[in-house]
């Protein structure tokens, strides 16, 4: 009897494990490849976790094998702990070539005990300069957290653990650029001490190197653009992130976003008057 309940328990454990871990069973190599700093990358747990490290000789990065035309992208990230001033950990989408499109999460490291800043940015047709910065409601170096980017023809939404922290609407009809080129998913760890911490005044402490960031979650919810595929295909409602539910935030999400903006935002290009005496048009329409 005890033996059977033990077997049943084992079976339940196994099935539940499969259920909750289904997104985690995708190995790094299936969708991603190392793009630079090959000797600063380690794969753990059968390729389900990647560590990028940075020392004075190099940082490292990886990117998706395919390019995408829409999607709901995500990565679980644990940032370098302790003194990470000057160190930038990035998770982003980017197109190649001139006048590129780019959607960025950039974590700006800090001295031990000081908060890490999360900067987001949106580039369309090569035009960026749309930085927003928040301080997180948790220590992003203590544990893995999920960072997501929704990208469809109606809006771009950045989320932290399912909480929307930024929305960039498609305002093409009034001449505001909107990312529409095929983009790759990328992640990297690099030295940004010329600008990242206190505007570049706080430098990387190389005696703390190597700095290590960890990544998980290598399944990709995106519309791949295979050669000769029409980009319009990626706007099809057959992809769930294009369905009406994802055209705008619902009222609960809108409240969550307002809460983040009120409590955690430390910089918004839309309210930087010295930089933009006249706010960019999208700022008046969010
Ligand atoms: C850099 O790290 C070393 C080793 O922990 C420490 O002794 C030194 O004070 C740090 N430098 C700065 C500028 O924080």
């Amino acid at each position: 009897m005890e033996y059977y309940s033990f077997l049943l328990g084992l079976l339940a454990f196994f099935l539940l494990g499969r259920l909750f871990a289904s997104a985690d069973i995708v190995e790094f190599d299936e969708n991603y490849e190392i793009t630079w700093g090959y000797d600063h990358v380690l794969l753990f747990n059968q390729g389900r976790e990647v560590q990028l490290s940075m020392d004075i000789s190099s940082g490292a990065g990886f990117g998706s094998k395919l390019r995408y035309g829409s999607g709901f992208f995500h990565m679980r990230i644990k940032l370098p702990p302790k003194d990470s001033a000057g160190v930038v950990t990035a998770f982003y989408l980017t197109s190649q070539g001139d006048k590129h499109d780019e959607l960025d999460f950039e974590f700006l490291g800090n001295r031990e005990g000081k908060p890490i800043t999360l900067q987001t940015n949106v580039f369309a047709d090569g035009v960026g300069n749309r930085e927003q910065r928040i301080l997180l409601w948790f220590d992003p170096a203590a544990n893995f957290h999920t960072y997501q980017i929704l990208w469809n023809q109606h809006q771009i939404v950045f989320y932290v653990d399912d909480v929307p922290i930024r929305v960039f609407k498609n305002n093409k009809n009034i001449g505001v650029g909107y990312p529409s080129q095929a983009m790759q998913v990328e992640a990297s760890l690099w030295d940004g001490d010329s600008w990242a911490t206190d505007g570049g005044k706080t430098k990387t402490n190389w005696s703390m190197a190597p700095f290590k960031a960890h990544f998980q979650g290598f399944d990709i919810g995106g519309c791949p653009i295979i050669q000769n595929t029409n980009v319009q295909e990626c706007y099809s409602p057959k992809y769930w992130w294009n369905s009406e539910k994802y055209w705008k935030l619902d009222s609960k999400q809108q409240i969550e976003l307002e809460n983040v903006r009120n409590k955690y935002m430390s910089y918004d290009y839309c309210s930087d008057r010295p930089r933009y005496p006249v706010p960019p048009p999208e700022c008046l329409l969010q």
Side-chain angles (χ1 to χ4, degrees):
M1 192 60 211
E2 248 170 53
Y3 177 71
Y4 283 113
S5 50
F6 171 74
L7 275 188
L8 271 176
L10 204 65
L11 187 68
F13 180 78
F14 178 75
L15 290 175
L16 280 172
R18 291 280 302 198
L19 197 64
F20 288 114
S22 60
D24 273 344
I25 60 180
V26 174
E27 292 176 30
F28 177 81
D29 292 342
E30 201 168 305
N31 291 320
Y32 288 96
E33 58 199 359
I34 300 166
T35 46
W36 61 286
Y38 293 84
D39 55 354
H40 287 66
V41 182
L42 281 180
L43 268 62
F44 298 135
N45 190 15
Q46 283 96 45
R48 285 162 203 158
E49 181 169 329
V50 163
Q51 172 188 287
L52 300 184
S53 68
M54 182 181 85
D55 56 29
I56 200 149
S57 74
S58 184
F62 62 85
S64 62
K65 294 178 179 174
L66 300 180
R67 303 178 309 147
Y68 299 87
S70 69
F72 203 156
F73 305 90
H74 66 102
M75 191 65 68
R76 278 207 307 283
I77 309 174
K78 189 164 83 170
L79 299 178
K82 303 192 171 149
D83 185 347
S84 62
V87 180
V88 178
T89 309
F91 165 52
Y92 57 106
L93 304 179
T94 187
S95 68
Q96 305 298 321
D98 283 354
K99 304 210 163 194
H100 78 299
D101 294 341
E102 187 177 314
L103 302 172
D104 295 313
F105 276 109
E106 288 174 318
F107 298 89
L108 314 180
N110 213 338
R111 290 275 181 254
E112 186 166 7
K114 292 194 172 176
I116 291 169
T117 294
L118 170 54
Q119 171 166 292
T120 56
N121 204 354
V122 174
F123 284 74
D125 307 319
V127 180
N129 298 320
R130 295 190 174 99
E131 296 86 356
Q132 285 185 357
R133 296 179 176 188
I134 66 168
L135 299 173
L136 293 161
W137 48 93
F138 52 83
D139 174 4
N143 288 109
F144 283 95
H145 290 270
T146 303
Y147 304 95
Q148 295 145 292
I149 303 174
L150 168 67
W151 172 38
N152 61 34
Q153 275 308 290
H154 300 270
Q155 62 175 356
I156 287 154
V157 184
F158 294 85
Y159 301 84
V160 173
D161 291 332
D162 296 321
V163 174
I165 61 151
R166 178 174 188 172
V167 175
F168 188 83
K169 291 197 173 297
N170 187 338
N171 283 311
K172 255 185 162 163
N173 58 337
I174 57 150
V176 179
Y178 193 78
S180 52
Q181 303 173 60
M183 295 200 272
Q184 273 160 293
V185 188
E186 312 220 350
S188 55
L189 181 68
W190 45 282
D191 180 30
D193 81 352
S194 65
W195 65 278
T197 311
D198 302 325
K201 289 198 284 285
T202 301
K203 298 295 182 189
T204 303
N205 185 344
W206 292 108
S207 70
M208 300 302 291
F211 304 96
K212 293 171 182 171
H214 292 85
F215 300 83
Q216 295 176 343
F218 301 117
D219 53 314
I220 298 182
C223 164
I225 296 196
I226 316 294
Q227 223 167 7
N228 300 327
T229 305
N230 191 338
V231 179
Q232 302 287 331
E233 263 284 290
C234 290
Y235 309 156
S236 155
K238 76 178 181 195
Y239 294 108
W240 58 266
W241 52 81
N242 291 333
S243 67
E244 203 168 339
K245 180 171 179 230
Y246 296 94
W247 292 4
K248 60 181 187 130
L249 300 187
D250 63 27
S251 54
K252 176 174 164 276
Q253 292 174 316
Q254 192 63 43
I255 290 166
E256 288 176 332
L257 174 67
E258 288 307 317
N259 183 48
V260 169
R261 293 181 54 91
N262 293 336
K263 281 201 190 138
Y264 302 106
M265 182 166 275
S266 59
Y267 177 82
D268 183 3
Y269 76 111
C270 282
S271 38
D272 187 343
R273 280 302 149 269
R275 188 177 176 199
Y276 293 108
V278 178
E282 70 271 19
C283 294
L284 308 170
L285 291 164
Q286 290 301 323

